[in-house]
Amino acid sequence: MSETTTALVTGANKGIGYEIAAGLGALGWTVGVGARDDARREAAVQKLRAAGVDAFGVPLDVTDDASAAAAARLVEERAGGLDVLVNNAGVTGGVPQEPTTVDLAAVRAAVETNVIGVIRVINAMLPLLRRSASPRIVNMSSGVGSLTRQAASTDPFVTGPLSVAYAPSKTFLNAVTLQYAKELRDTNILINAACPGFVATDLNGFRGVRTPEQGAAIAIRLATLPDDGPTGGFFEDAGVVPW
Ligand SMILES: NC(=O)c1ccc[n+]([C@@H]2O[C@H](COP(=O)([O-])OP(=O)(O)OC[C@H]3O[C@@H](n4cnc5c(N)ncnc54)[C@H](OP(=O)(O)O)[C@@H]3O)[C@@H](O)[C@H]2O)c1
Protein backbone atom coordinates (compact mmCIF):
# COMPACT_ATOMS: atom_id res chain seq x y z
CA MET A 1 0.00 0.00 0.00
CA SER A 2 1.03 3.59 -0.49
CA GLU A 3 2.12 5.91 2.32
CA THR A 4 -1.16 7.79 2.03
CA THR A 5 -4.07 6.84 4.22
CA THR A 6 -7.08 5.95 2.10
CA ALA A 7 -10.69 5.95 3.23
CA LEU A 8 -13.94 5.00 1.52
CA VAL A 9 -17.16 6.62 2.71
CA THR A 10 -20.46 5.21 1.45
CA GLY A 11 -23.31 7.62 0.77
CA ALA A 12 -20.77 10.43 0.69
CA ASN A 13 -22.51 12.67 -1.82
CA LYS A 14 -24.50 14.60 0.80
CA GLY A 15 -25.46 14.96 4.42
CA ILE A 16 -23.30 13.41 7.14
CA GLY A 17 -21.38 11.24 4.66
CA TYR A 18 -20.18 14.25 2.71
CA GLU A 19 -18.91 15.87 5.91
CA ILE A 20 -17.15 12.65 6.96
CA ALA A 21 -15.38 12.67 3.59
CA ALA A 22 -14.50 16.35 4.01
CA GLY A 23 -13.22 15.79 7.55
CA LEU A 24 -11.06 12.80 6.63
CA GLY A 25 -9.82 14.67 3.55
CA ALA A 26 -8.80 17.59 5.74
CA LEU A 27 -6.46 15.19 7.56
CA GLY A 28 -4.60 14.80 4.27
CA TRP A 29 -6.16 11.43 3.54
CA THR A 30 -7.22 10.23 0.11
CA VAL A 31 -10.98 9.79 0.17
CA GLY A 32 -13.15 7.59 -2.03
CA VAL A 33 -16.57 9.18 -2.40
CA GLY A 34 -18.97 6.24 -2.56
CA ALA A 35 -22.25 7.24 -4.17
CA ARG A 36 -24.80 5.53 -6.39
CA ASP A 37 -25.78 8.49 -8.59
CA ASP A 38 -23.19 9.63 -11.16
CA ALA A 39 -24.10 13.32 -11.15
CA ARG A 40 -24.43 13.63 -7.35
CA ARG A 41 -21.13 11.76 -6.88
CA GLU A 42 -19.25 13.90 -9.39
CA ALA A 43 -20.60 17.11 -7.84
CA ALA A 44 -19.41 15.99 -4.40
CA VAL A 45 -15.98 15.00 -5.71
CA GLN A 46 -15.58 18.37 -7.42
CA LYS A 47 -16.66 20.24 -4.27
CA LEU A 48 -14.22 18.25 -2.12
CA ARG A 49 -11.38 18.79 -4.59
CA ALA A 50 -12.11 22.51 -4.63
CA ALA A 51 -11.67 22.40 -0.85
CA GLY A 52 -8.26 20.76 -1.31
CA VAL A 53 -9.27 17.14 -0.66
CA ASP A 54 -7.68 14.31 -2.64
CA ALA A 55 -11.08 12.86 -3.50
CA PHE A 56 -12.01 10.28 -6.10
CA GLY A 57 -15.41 8.99 -7.09
CA VAL A 58 -16.46 5.42 -6.37
CA PRO A 59 -19.71 4.32 -8.03
CA LEU A 60 -21.40 2.31 -5.30
CA ASP A 61 -24.93 1.13 -4.69
CA VAL A 62 -24.67 -0.76 -1.42
CA THR A 63 -27.68 -2.94 -2.33
CA ASP A 64 -25.91 -4.38 -5.37
CA ASP A 65 -23.31 -7.18 -5.27
CA ALA A 66 -21.76 -6.31 -8.64
CA SER A 67 -21.52 -2.64 -7.66
CA ALA A 68 -19.71 -3.47 -4.42
CA ALA A 69 -17.29 -5.79 -6.23
CA ALA A 70 -16.58 -3.14 -8.87
CA ALA A 71 -16.06 -0.53 -6.15
CA ALA A 72 -13.44 -2.76 -4.49
CA ARG A 73 -11.63 -3.17 -7.82
CA LEU A 74 -11.66 0.59 -8.37
CA VAL A 75 -10.31 1.34 -4.88
CA GLU A 76 -7.58 -1.26 -5.39
CA GLU A 77 -6.55 0.26 -8.73
CA ARG A 78 -6.61 3.81 -7.33
CA ALA A 79 -5.01 3.21 -3.92
CA GLY A 80 -3.69 -0.36 -3.78
CA GLY A 81 -5.62 -1.01 -0.58
CA LEU A 82 -7.92 0.58 1.95
CA ASP A 83 -7.27 1.81 5.49
CA VAL A 84 -10.70 2.99 6.59
CA LEU A 85 -14.23 2.08 5.55
CA VAL A 86 -17.11 4.23 6.77
CA ASN A 87 -20.47 2.57 6.14
CA ASN A 88 -22.59 5.70 6.20
CA ALA A 89 -25.19 5.09 3.46
CA GLY A 90 -28.61 4.67 4.98
CA VAL A 91 -32.34 5.02 4.33
CA THR A 92 -35.40 5.17 6.54
CA GLY A 93 -37.22 2.74 4.26
CA GLY A 94 -40.12 5.17 3.90
CA VAL A 95 -42.83 6.32 6.24
CA PRO A 96 -45.18 5.67 8.00
CA GLN A 97 -43.63 2.88 10.03
CA GLU A 98 -46.19 2.16 12.75
CA PRO A 99 -45.82 -1.56 13.43
CA THR A 100 -49.51 -2.40 12.93
CA THR A 101 -49.88 -0.72 9.56
CA VAL A 102 -46.42 -0.75 8.03
CA ASP A 103 -45.86 -1.61 4.41
CA LEU A 104 -43.45 -4.56 4.59
CA ALA A 105 -41.52 -3.00 1.72
CA ALA A 106 -40.34 -0.32 4.16
CA VAL A 107 -38.90 -2.96 6.49
CA ARG A 108 -37.20 -4.76 3.63
CA ALA A 109 -35.75 -1.51 2.25
CA ALA A 110 -34.32 -0.45 5.59
CA VAL A 111 -32.73 -3.84 6.25
CA GLU A 112 -31.46 -4.21 2.67
CA THR A 113 -29.56 -0.91 2.77
CA ASN A 114 -28.76 -0.37 6.46
CA VAL A 115 -27.80 -3.93 7.35
CA ILE A 116 -27.25 -6.20 4.35
CA GLY A 117 -25.65 -3.33 2.44
CA VAL A 118 -23.11 -2.88 5.23
CA ILE A 119 -22.27 -6.60 5.32
CA ARG A 120 -21.96 -6.62 1.53
CA VAL A 121 -19.58 -3.64 1.43
CA ILE A 122 -17.46 -4.79 4.38
CA ASN A 123 -16.95 -8.20 2.83
CA ALA A 124 -16.12 -6.71 -0.57
CA MET A 125 -13.55 -4.35 1.00
CA LEU A 126 -12.09 -6.72 3.60
CA PRO A 127 -9.25 -8.04 1.38
CA LEU A 128 -8.13 -4.43 0.85
CA LEU A 129 -8.50 -3.50 4.53
CA ARG A 130 -6.40 -6.49 5.57
CA ARG A 131 -3.43 -4.91 3.72
CA SER A 132 -3.54 -1.82 5.96
CA ALA A 133 -1.36 -1.36 9.04
CA SER A 134 -4.29 0.12 11.01
CA PRO A 135 -7.61 -0.77 9.41
CA ARG A 136 -10.78 0.77 10.81
CA ILE A 137 -14.43 0.17 10.00
CA VAL A 138 -17.11 2.59 11.17
CA ASN A 139 -20.78 1.68 10.85
CA MET A 140 -23.09 4.67 11.00
CA SER A 141 -25.82 3.53 13.32
CA SER A 142 -28.27 5.63 15.35
CA GLY A 143 -29.20 6.11 18.96
CA VAL A 144 -32.74 5.07 17.96
CA GLY A 145 -31.28 1.59 17.50
CA SER A 146 -30.49 1.42 21.22
CA LEU A 147 -32.98 -1.00 22.80
CA THR A 148 -32.05 0.42 26.20
CA ARG A 149 -33.10 3.91 25.13
CA GLN A 150 -36.20 2.64 23.31
CA ALA A 151 -37.32 0.75 26.42
CA ALA A 152 -36.56 3.58 28.82
CA SER A 153 -38.18 6.48 27.00
CA THR A 154 -41.25 7.55 25.04
CA ASP A 155 -39.71 10.91 24.16
CA PRO A 156 -39.51 10.99 20.34
CA PHE A 157 -36.40 13.14 20.67
CA VAL A 158 -34.72 10.09 22.27
CA THR A 159 -36.47 7.26 20.44
CA GLY A 160 -37.31 8.87 17.11
CA PRO A 161 -40.83 8.43 15.73
CA LEU A 162 -42.49 5.01 15.99
CA SER A 163 -40.51 2.91 13.57
CA VAL A 164 -40.64 -0.79 12.89
CA ALA A 165 -38.22 -0.50 9.97
CA TYR A 166 -35.56 2.16 10.54
CA ALA A 167 -34.86 1.93 14.28
CA PRO A 168 -34.75 -1.91 14.36
CA SER A 169 -32.50 -1.88 11.28
CA LYS A 170 -29.96 0.07 13.33
CA THR A 171 -30.36 -2.36 16.26
CA PHE A 172 -29.65 -5.13 13.73
CA LEU A 173 -26.62 -3.19 12.46
CA ASN A 174 -25.30 -2.85 16.00
CA ALA A 175 -25.60 -6.60 16.48
CA VAL A 176 -23.84 -7.19 13.16
CA THR A 177 -21.03 -4.84 14.23
CA LEU A 178 -20.49 -6.88 17.37
CA GLN A 179 -20.34 -10.15 15.43
CA TYR A 180 -17.68 -8.71 13.10
CA ALA A 181 -15.68 -7.48 16.08
CA LYS A 182 -15.74 -10.99 17.53
CA GLU A 183 -14.61 -12.65 14.32
CA LEU A 184 -11.92 -10.01 13.74
CA ARG A 185 -10.79 -9.95 17.36
CA ASP A 186 -7.36 -11.39 16.58
CA THR A 187 -6.69 -9.01 13.69
CA ASN A 188 -5.69 -5.34 13.71
CA ILE A 189 -9.10 -4.30 12.38
CA LEU A 190 -11.16 -2.15 14.76
CA ILE A 191 -14.89 -1.96 13.98
CA ASN A 192 -17.37 0.21 15.83
CA ALA A 193 -20.84 1.68 15.48
CA ALA A 194 -21.47 5.43 15.68
CA CYS A 195 -24.45 7.61 16.54
CA PRO A 196 -24.25 11.11 14.99
CA GLY A 197 -27.07 12.63 17.04
CA PHE A 198 -30.16 14.22 15.48
CA VAL A 199 -28.76 15.91 12.39
CA ALA A 200 -30.52 18.16 9.87
CA THR A 201 -30.38 16.20 6.60
CA ASP A 202 -32.64 14.92 3.81
CA LEU A 203 -33.20 11.76 5.88
CA ASN A 204 -35.44 13.61 8.35
CA GLY A 205 -36.64 16.53 6.23
CA PHE A 206 -33.93 18.69 7.83
CA ARG A 207 -35.70 18.58 11.21
CA GLY A 208 -32.50 17.59 13.02
CA VAL A 209 -30.87 20.01 15.44
CA ARG A 210 -27.20 19.30 14.70
CA THR A 211 -25.20 20.19 11.61
CA PRO A 212 -23.89 17.43 9.31
CA GLU A 213 -20.39 18.51 10.34
CA GLN A 214 -21.25 17.88 14.00
CA GLY A 215 -22.80 14.54 13.04
CA ALA A 216 -19.63 13.55 11.19
CA ALA A 217 -17.35 14.11 14.19
CA ILE A 218 -17.93 10.76 15.93
CA ALA A 219 -17.34 8.82 12.71
CA ILE A 220 -14.10 10.71 12.17
CA ARG A 221 -13.05 9.94 15.73
CA LEU A 222 -13.71 6.22 15.26
CA ALA A 223 -11.98 6.29 11.85
CA THR A 224 -8.83 7.65 13.47
CA LEU A 225 -8.68 5.43 16.56
CA PRO A 226 -5.23 4.48 17.81
CA ASP A 227 -4.21 0.83 17.52
CA ASP A 228 -5.20 0.18 21.15
CA GLY A 229 -8.61 1.76 20.62
CA PRO A 230 -11.92 0.00 21.26
CA THR A 231 -13.62 -2.48 18.94
CA GLY A 232 -17.16 -3.83 18.99
CA GLY A 233 -18.49 -0.69 20.65
CA PHE A 234 -21.27 1.84 20.04
CA PHE A 235 -20.30 5.49 20.52
CA GLU A 236 -21.61 9.05 20.27
CA ASP A 237 -19.82 12.32 21.03
CA ALA A 238 -20.56 11.99 24.75
CA GLY A 239 -19.19 8.44 24.97
CA VAL A 240 -20.64 4.93 24.97
CA VAL A 241 -24.23 4.44 23.78
CA PRO A 242 -26.02 1.64 25.63
CA TRP A 243 -27.04 -1.32 23.44
N1 LIG B 1 -29.70 12.56 10.15
C1 LIG B 1 -29.79 12.03 11.36
O1 LIG B 1 -30.32 12.64 12.32
C2 LIG B 1 -29.22 10.66 11.62
C3 LIG B 1 -29.29 10.17 12.93
C4 LIG B 1 -28.76 8.92 13.21
C5 LIG B 1 -28.16 8.20 12.19
N2 LIG B 1 -28.11 8.70 10.92
C6 LIG B 1 -27.47 7.88 9.89
O2 LIG B 1 -26.45 8.63 9.25
C7 LIG B 1 -26.26 8.13 7.92
C8 LIG B 1 -26.27 9.29 6.95
O3 LIG B 1 -27.57 9.85 6.96
P1 LIG B 1 -27.90 11.36 6.59
O4 LIG B 1 -28.70 11.89 7.71
O5 LIG B 1 -26.69 12.06 6.13
O6 LIG B 1 -28.93 11.12 5.39
P2 LIG B 1 -28.96 11.60 3.86
O7 LIG B 1 -28.60 13.04 3.74
O8 LIG B 1 -30.29 11.14 3.37
O9 LIG B 1 -27.80 10.74 3.18
C9 LIG B 1 -27.92 9.38 3.00
C10 LIG B 1 -26.85 8.95 2.03
O10 LIG B 1 -26.97 7.53 1.82
C11 LIG B 1 -26.98 7.30 0.44
N3 LIG B 1 -27.62 6.05 0.08
C12 LIG B 1 -28.86 5.62 0.37
N4 LIG B 1 -29.08 4.42 -0.17
C13 LIG B 1 -27.93 4.07 -0.80
C14 LIG B 1 -27.52 2.95 -1.56
N5 LIG B 1 -28.34 1.92 -1.80
N6 LIG B 1 -26.26 2.91 -2.07
C15 LIG B 1 -25.42 3.95 -1.83
N7 LIG B 1 -25.75 5.05 -1.16
C16 LIG B 1 -26.99 5.11 -0.64
C17 LIG B 1 -27.69 8.51 -0.14
O11 LIG B 1 -27.46 8.60 -1.54
P3 LIG B 1 -28.52 9.31 -2.55
O12 LIG B 1 -28.23 10.79 -2.51
O13 LIG B 1 -28.23 8.67 -3.85
O14 LIG B 1 -29.91 8.98 -2.03
C18 LIG B 1 -27.00 9.60 0.65
O15 LIG B 1 -25.74 9.88 0.12
C19 LIG B 1 -27.37 7.10 7.70
O16 LIG B 1 -26.87 5.80 7.92
C20 LIG B 1 -28.39 7.45 8.76
O17 LIG B 1 -29.20 6.36 9.11
C21 LIG B 1 -28.63 9.91 10.61
Side-chain angles (χ1 to χ4, degrees):
M1 280 190 68
S2 68
E3 299 284 298
T4 315
T5 301
T6 303
L8 172 66
V9 183
T10 70
N13 53 286
K14 66 178 180 183
I16 300 168
Y18 177 86
E19 292 299 337
I20 296 169
L24 296 178
L27 300 174
W29 293 12
T30 297
V31 182
V33 177
R36 58 184 168 177
D37 178 87
D38 291 344
R40 289 194 290 272
R41 181 180 59 253
E42 190 51 29
V45 168
Q46 291 309 329
K47 196 172 158 194
L48 287 163
R49 284 190 185 154
V53 175
D54 181 23
F56 65 102
V58 180
L60 177 55
D61 181 336
V62 303
T63 65
D64 187 286
D65 286 341
S67 175
R73 286 196 297 275
L74 191 153
V75 171
E76 181 172 29
E77 281 164 23
R78 177 65 162 73
L82 186 64
D83 299 289
V84 170
L85 170 64
V86 182
N87 291 301
N88 164 81
V91 295
T92 61
V95 287
Q97 297 191 355
E98 283 82 6
T100 57
T101 55
V102 69
D103 181 344
L104 295 182
V107 183
R108 287 197 187 94
V111 171
E112 185 61 55
T113 299
N114 302 351
V115 182
I116 298 172
V118 172
I119 298 171
R120 175 181 290 114
V121 174
I122 291 176
N123 290 351
M125 298 297 160
L126 212 43
L128 305 184
L129 287 162
R130 288 188 193 278
R131 295 177 196 167
S132 168
S134 302
R136 307 285 178 260
I137 301 171
V138 183
N139 292 336
M140 191 53 92
S141 182
S142 168
V144 305
S146 163
L147 292 179
T148 304
R149 288 185 179 169
Q150 287 289 347
S153 178
T154 52
D155 177 356
F157 195 79
V158 176
T159 64
L162 260 187
S163 133
V164 76
Y166 180 71
S169 78
K170 296 297 189 179
T171 314
F172 193 166
L173 175 61
N174 290 346
V176 162
T177 304
L178 202 43
Q179 293 298 318
Y180 270 99
K182 290 169 82 166
E183 183 181 349
L184 298 173
R185 191 171 32 212
D186 296 328
T187 74
N188 58 357
I189 301 174
L190 303 180
I191 176 167
N192 291 287
C195 166
F198 188 30
V199 178
T201 65
D202 265 340
L203 193 89
N204 51 37
F206 295 90
R207 284 188 299 275
V209 296
R210 311 188 80 209
T211 65
E213 197 176 353
Q214 289 173 320
I218 185 63
I220 293 169
R221 203 163 104 207
L222 295 172
T224 54
L225 284 174
D227 289 343
D228 62 352
T231 190
F234 183 20
F235 301 94
E236 60 189 357
D237 284 348
V240 171
V241 184
W243 298 118

